[in-house]
Amino acid sequence: MSAGAQAVAAVVVVGGLVGVLWSVQNAAGNTADANKPAVCSPSRSAAPAAPQVSGAQMCTALNRPDLAVLLGTPGEQAVNAWGNDGVIDRPDGTKKVSPSADVQFKSHHVKLSSSGDRMPVAQLADLLGGGVQKQTVLGHAAFLSSERTLSLTFNAGGGKSSAAPGVMARTLSVARDGKDSGGSFELVVWRQDGQLPDDPMLIRLAEQLLPTVPGWSAA
């Protein structure tokens, strides 16, 4: 950020803090030219061995030229874009890989992540209960759910940072393959004005986007 900046605010889905810190650090490089859309920032995190998909690949797929059109805001340009290769150390010594990508507009924020969990999407939807809406996307098991984001303010002057409940986000979880044999992609969208994103728009976006992501298997 600029030398005179005192604070920067960000809104994230809980669990996406690492990506936001990375985006804050690289915001100046992404928004240097207001006449051009943001490009994907390179990830500093070391990609895990033989991943199905990397954060950089997900960012390339997500940061597509027609993303604003698919969101229903044609003419808008991305102001920030980044990928992250999230690796979590488990107690048993194994690593959980959860690569993700984010693209931010003035009106919307879009996040795409990949989960390697073995639980089928349909089974997860049953466990979550009545708060989800089961769907089928391109022949794959899927469900829609809502979650509240977290609003973070980082004080660049050394003062106290703060966190507060943010806007509601809409999430579409889709099985990686038509057999729902485990693993999923999650597409999350939230609007900066606080309104809940439109479900048909989210499904249309997934139908266009997911077949272009490495690791996706057509039904």
Side-chain angles (χ1 to χ4, degrees):
M1 307 300 288
S2 64
Q6 291 301 310
V8 59
V11 179
V12 299
V13 173
V14 175
L17 179 58
V18 173
V20 167
L21 292 173
W22 172 238
S23 72
V24 168
Q25 190 174 14
N26 288 274
N30 279 340
T31 59
D33 190 343
N35 296 319
K36 295 181 180 179
V39 297
C40 293
S41 297
S43 176
R44 283 183 177 177
S45 55
Q52 283 195 320
V53 58
S54 68
Q57 289 174 316
M58 297 186 80
C59 189
T60 298
L62 180 60
N63 193 27
R64 48 193 290 157
D66 63 347
L67 181 57
V69 175
L70 295 172
L71 291 171
T73 57
E76 196 173 11
Q77 291 186 344
V79 297
N80 209 350
W82 70 92
N84 182 59
D85 293 303
V87 181
I88 301 173
D89 292 320
R90 289 172 167 161
D92 61 2
T94 61
K95 296 181 181 294
K96 178 182 179 180
V97 181
S98 183
S100 64
D102 292 72
V103 176
Q104 180 183 1
F105 295 85
K106 289 184 178 180
S107 63
H108 290 74
H109 191 118
V110 188
K111 183 179 183 69
L112 177 66
S113 60
S114 174
S115 171
D117 292 337
R118 297 180 180 179
M119 180 178 293
V121 165
Q123 183 179 348
L124 179 58
D126 290 337
L127 289 175
L128 293 176
V132 305
Q133 299 175 21
K134 290 186 176 181
Q135 302 284 331
T136 301
V137 175
L138 299 176
H140 293 222
F143 65 85
L144 285 157
S145 60
S146 297
E147 56 186 316
R148 185 168 294 280
T149 60
L150 183 67
S151 178
L152 304 173
T153 300
F154 305 98
N155 195 310
K160 185 177 181 180
S161 300
S162 62
V167 300
M168 292 298 295
R170 198 68 169 150
T171 299
L172 178 63
S173 301
V174 186
R176 282 183 179 176
D177 57 59
K179 296 181 179 180
D180 195 12
S181 57
S184 64
F185 289 106
E186 284 193 347
L187 183 61
V188 188
V189 177
W190 64 91
R191 291 174 43 158
Q192 307 294 1
D193 62 5
Q195 298 294 315
L196 201 63
D198 181 63
D199 286 347
M201 176 276 294
L202 191 57
I203 292 174
R204 288 194 301 269
L205 176 58
E207 290 174 341
Q208 295 296 316
L209 173 66
L210 292 178
T212 70
V213 180
W216 171 265
S217 298

